[in-house]
């Protein structure tokens, strides 16, 4: 039986100008779930809840069987938090610092850190370890975040429109990276506006519009 890593049950979220309603969703280990929808449909809001940045939801969101409000709170044990890898455009690192300086400052906070792997991958993928993170190109910032997540051995990868603006060559490399991760048992959740992402890598396709999931389908390999 496929292991369910993340599960939403009757989850809702409201703010002044937007709401998610009746979200029921299962994210399985070893599969890529791609979420599409128009701008403002709720993709990023849903991801922020799944990764623990936004815990002001109603209903249930469970990760590894633990309610997110209990195990993803900043005051909670970091065991589950460390299993999540975040990839987005948000400035979640020390942006004025280099990838090596970020490693120096942040890696001691992880119980597992693959130093040799991290530095090897930076070189392999052409990410300048001595350039400030804020000056990395869009593609290199995505590469950097993927390497970072793999270095702390993330098991759940949550990606918010990572392929937007990537050159076609690296996009193929990126797809291959994600496929390799799920082959190793990781769960991948990716929000996108590019239908090519669905065609190329999705095992499951989720469509969200106006804060509601309107379709969940299994995608056949092409």
């Amino acid at each position: 039986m496929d292991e369910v890593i993340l599960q939403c049950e009757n989850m809702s979220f409201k703010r002044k100008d937007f709401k998610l309603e009746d979200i029921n969703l299962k994210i399985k280990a070893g599969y890529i779930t791609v979420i599409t929808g128009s701008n403002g449909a709720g993709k990023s809001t849903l991801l922020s809840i799944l990764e623990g940045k936004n815990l002001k939801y109603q209903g249930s969101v469970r990760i590894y069987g633990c309610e997110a409000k209990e195990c993803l709170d900043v005051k909670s044990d970091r065991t589950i938090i460390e299993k999540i890898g975040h990839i987005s455009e948000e400035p979640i690192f020390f942006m004025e610092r280099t990838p090596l300086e970020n490693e120096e400052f942040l890696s001691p906070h992880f119980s597992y850190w693959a130093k040799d792997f991290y530095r090897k991958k930076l070189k392999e993928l052409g990410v300048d370890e001595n350039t400030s993170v804020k000056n990395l190109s869009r593609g290199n910032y995505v590469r950097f975040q993927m390497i970072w997540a793999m270095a702390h051995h993330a098991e759940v990868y949550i990606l918010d429109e990572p392929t937007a603006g990537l050159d076609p060559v690296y996009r193929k490399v990126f797809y291959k990276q994600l496929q390799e991760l799920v082959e190793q048992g990781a769960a991948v959740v990716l929000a996108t506006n590019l239908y090519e992402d669905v065609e190329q890598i999705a095992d499951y396709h989720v469509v969200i519009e106006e804060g509601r999931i309107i379709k969940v389908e299994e995608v056949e390999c092409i």
Side-chain angles (χ1 to χ4, degrees):
M1 184 176 179
D2 297 327
E3 181 184 8
V4 175
I5 300 297
L6 273 165
Q7 182 168 5
C8 300
E9 291 183 304
N10 302 318
M11 187 271 285
S12 62
F13 166 79
K14 294 182 180 180
R15 61 171 184 252
K16 186 175 181 180
D17 58 342
F18 179 78
K19 60 183 177 180
L20 292 174
E21 294 184 281
D22 299 324
I23 301 296
N24 290 281
L25 182 65
K26 293 181 180 180
I27 305 298
K28 300 177 182 179
Y31 295 94
I32 299 175
T33 300
V34 176
I35 302 173
T36 63
S38 57
N39 290 334
K43 301 187 299 296
S44 294
T45 301
L46 176 57
L47 293 193
S48 72
I49 292 171
L50 295 180
E51 64 189 6
K53 290 181 181 178
N54 179 355
L55 297 176
K56 296 180 180 180
Y57 60 85
Q58 302 297 317
S60 177
V61 178
R62 301 180 70 82
I63 178 166
Y64 291 98
C66 176
E67 188 64 37
K69 288 180 179 179
E70 299 173 4
C71 56
L72 295 183
D73 184 270
V74 292
K75 297 179 182 179
S76 65
D77 185 283
R78 286 185 54 84
T79 301
I80 292 182
I81 294 174
E82 290 185 12
K83 293 182 178 182
I84 301 175
H86 313 267
I87 293 86
S88 72
E89 290 186 328
E90 293 182 21
I92 59 176
F93 294 88
F94 291 110
M95 303 302 286
E96 301 286 339
R97 300 290 187 167
T98 69
L100 291 186
E101 289 171 330
N102 271 275
E103 179 190 31
E104 179 184 354
F105 300 146
L106 297 175
S107 65
H109 297 284
F110 292 93
S111 58
Y112 176 89
W113 182 259
K115 178 179 180 179
D116 292 342
F117 169 89
Y118 176 72
R119 299 190 175 196
K120 177 183 177 183
K121 282 296 183 182
L122 288 175
K123 288 182 171 64
E124 281 184 3
L125 295 179
V127 180
D128 190 342
E129 60 188 25
N130 295 309
T131 295
S132 65
V133 172
K134 76 172 185 178
N135 287 326
L136 294 176
S137 67
R138 173 76 172 80
N140 275 347
Y141 188 45
V142 171
R143 291 178 176 92
F144 164 63
Q145 291 179 89
M146 285 294 294
I147 296 166
W148 185 273
M150 290 187 285
H152 68 76
H153 204 203
E155 297 177 8
V156 182
Y157 289 76
I158 298 179
L159 307 97
D160 194 358
E161 301 195 20
T163 56
L166 292 186
D167 66 81
V169 174
Y170 179 61
R171 189 176 296 161
K172 290 181 180 179
V173 173
F174 183 71
Y175 288 157
K176 183 178 179 182
Q177 283 182 316
L178 295 183
Q179 294 287 5
E180 289 173 349
L181 287 171
V182 297
E183 287 171 5
Q184 296 165 14
V188 173
V189 187
L190 184 153
T192 183
N193 284 324
L194 299 177
Y195 200 76
E196 179 185 355
D197 293 342
V198 178
E199 295 177 325
Q200 294 295 325
I201 58 171
D203 295 304
Y204 293 96
H205 178 207
V206 177
V207 181
I208 184 169
E209 291 294 350
E210 297 182 349
R212 289 178 175 270
I213 291 176
I214 62 172
K215 181 168 68 173
V216 179
E217 62 181 353
E218 191 169 351
V219 181
E220 295 183 4
C221 296
I222 63 172

